[in-house]
Amino acid sequence: MTESARATSADVAKRAGVSRTTVSFVLNDSPGQTISAATREAVLAAARELGYTPSAAARLLRSGSSRLVLCVAPSWQPSAIMDRAVTALTDALRMHGYATVLTKAAPDGVVSELLWRSVTPAAVVAMYDLPHVVRAQVDTLRVPLYDLWFHSSGDRIPVDDFQGAAGRAQVEHLLSRGAERLLIVAPSELLELEIRSDRLRGVRAAADESGVPAPDLVLLDGLHPSERQPLRTSLQARSGGRLGICAFNDLHAIATIFEARALGLHIPDDILIVGIDDDPVSTLIDPPLSSVRFDIDGHMSRVATRITDLARGVSYRGDELLATEWVVQRSST
């Protein structure tokens, strides 16, 4: 056997001086077999020396089930939070004994037919609202499909609506700290506008339920000082009561802090500001920024349990919401 050739069970059997059946019994830890400790060690040693690993296809045929979870992601721009989510889900699934394969869809959301012919997953995780053609492809596999969306799609809101919940958390925190009026600061342009819509929906719903006036909305074309005039104008026009600002993310919150300080406003006496993402830079600004932190690791751990339950045929209640966020309070509130 050359160095480039892949070792087989026959090679292991020859090296250990046993049959291929014995090799299969040992490597698969088959119950009810009377194999001596010496023979077992000889097979394991031969497998290590030859670098032999049973193929996934062979394991699937023997066990009748796959240990692979296929995650289908949209063609989004890479981001730290998405990368962290995929990493956390991969780690959590590994703890359950499952491997993860990630594939990105084409810009139109379609997944290559070659993929479905190449893998046999135990479950498919959709990280966006799959087009009907892709859902039909998953249906042909007869495996569970778990929708793990990071934002809404049209009028469809994901089960784990943590973008909307983040907006709600902002309002609840600001009101608990004494805010009497609310202002939303958000970008005018965004690759995934659904994220902005979800967070605004959460803010507005929480404000309405709390009985405070409907929040005003300031949209910024960018964060450069020359692009922050709408925010400056809104802060100058503020009147009556402490103003609570729900920033789209920590960068918009920091821009708001700069504008407020330039206008001589005191934080948090005059205005209170809370961001989203709990970016490390939040602790470096003056005053340190309060922010909504997504519990990505905890969320993905619970999602992994759901996915593996589905793979084993155990269902869950579709209306169960997973708590995914909390406010890290600092001096801006």
Side-chain angles (χ1 to χ4, degrees):
M1 183 178 66
T2 65
E3 290 186 2
S4 61
R6 180 173 180 174
T8 66
S9 61
D11 298 320
V12 175
K14 183 177 180 180
R15 175 71 65 92
V18 298
S19 68
R20 292 182 64 181
T21 300
T22 299
V23 169
S24 177
F25 285 157
V26 171
L27 296 183
N28 290 289
D29 200 20
S30 300
Q33 305 301 321
T34 55
I35 299 173
S36 69
T39 298
R40 183 177 297 276
E41 179 54 36
V43 171
L44 294 175
R48 286 194 299 269
E49 293 167 6
L50 294 171
Y52 173 72
T53 302
S55 71
R59 287 186 183 276
L60 178 59
L61 288 173
R62 285 192 297 271
S63 66
S65 62
S66 170
R67 306 296 291 182
L68 180 72
V69 173
L70 176 64
C71 295
V72 184
S75 55
W76 58 41
Q77 290 182 339
S79 68
I81 191 170
M82 295 302 183
D83 181 65
R84 182 180 168 196
V86 172
T87 299
L89 180 60
T90 299
D91 292 343
L93 285 170
R94 186 184 301 116
M95 297 296 292
H96 287 275
Y98 287 80
T100 306
V101 171
L102 175 69
T103 186
K104 285 193 174 184
D108 60 1
V110 175
V111 179
S112 170
E113 183 69 34
L114 176 62
L115 175 69
W116 308 116
R117 297 199 302 267
S118 303
V119 297
T120 307
V124 175
V125 178
M127 305 184 83
Y128 67 106
D129 189 7
L130 298 179
H132 292 303
V133 63
V134 180
R135 289 185 178 273
Q137 291 171 323
V138 177
D139 287 342
T140 64
L141 299 177
R142 298 184 182 277
V143 298
L145 171 63
Y146 184 88
D147 285 315
L148 178 61
W149 305 350
F150 290 91
H151 55 68
S152 61
S153 177
D155 59 356
R156 300 177 65 192
I157 299 174
V159 172
D160 304 318
D161 180 28
F162 56 86
Q163 302 291 356
R168 284 181 168 274
Q170 287 183 305
V171 172
E172 292 168 2
H173 177 69
L174 289 170
L175 295 181
S176 73
R177 301 297 296 171
E180 300 169 71
R181 296 169 45 251
L182 298 172
L183 175 68
I184 304 170
V185 180
S188 59
E189 297 293 335
L190 191 66
L191 179 64
E192 292 175 304
L193 283 173
E194 296 89 348
I195 294 178
R196 187 186 71 187
S197 298
D198 289 351
R199 294 180 182 179
L200 265 60
R201 170 172 45 78
V203 168
R204 288 165 173 159
D208 180 65
E209 293 166 8
S210 300
V212 298
D216 290 328
L217 172 63
V218 172
L219 295 178
L220 302 180
D221 293 336
L223 296 178
H224 188 272
S226 63
E227 299 170 304
R228 301 200 298 249
Q229 183 60 49
L231 174 59
R232 192 173 307 127
T233 300
S234 182
L235 291 177
Q236 287 173 326
R238 59 174 289 277
S239 62
R242 297 174 75 193
L243 178 64
I245 296 181
C246 303
F248 173 77
N249 58 21
D250 290 343
L251 294 181
H252 284 75
I254 291 170
T256 303
I257 290 177
F258 287 156
E259 288 299 325
R261 293 185 63 175
L263 292 172
L265 299 176
H266 298 285
I267 305 169
D269 297 329
D270 297 324
I271 65 172
L272 306 99
I273 306 171
V274 61
I276 293 179
D277 290 338
D278 194 30
D279 191 293
V281 74
S282 300
T283 63
L284 304 178
I285 194 70
D286 182 24
L289 176 67
S290 296
S291 183
V292 176
R293 174 186 294 173
F294 289 110
D295 181 16
I296 295 296
D297 293 339
H299 182 72
M300 290 304 161
S301 177
R302 294 184 289 270
V303 166
T305 299
R306 283 183 171 182
I307 293 169
T308 55
D309 281 349
L310 287 173
R312 294 185 295 108
V314 179
S315 61
Y316 69 92
R317 284 176 47 202
D319 60 349
E320 288 179 344
L321 293 178
L322 302 183
T324 59
E325 74 295 312
W326 66 90
V327 175
V328 179
Q329 183 183 340
R330 299 190 180 96
S331 302
S332 69
T333 57

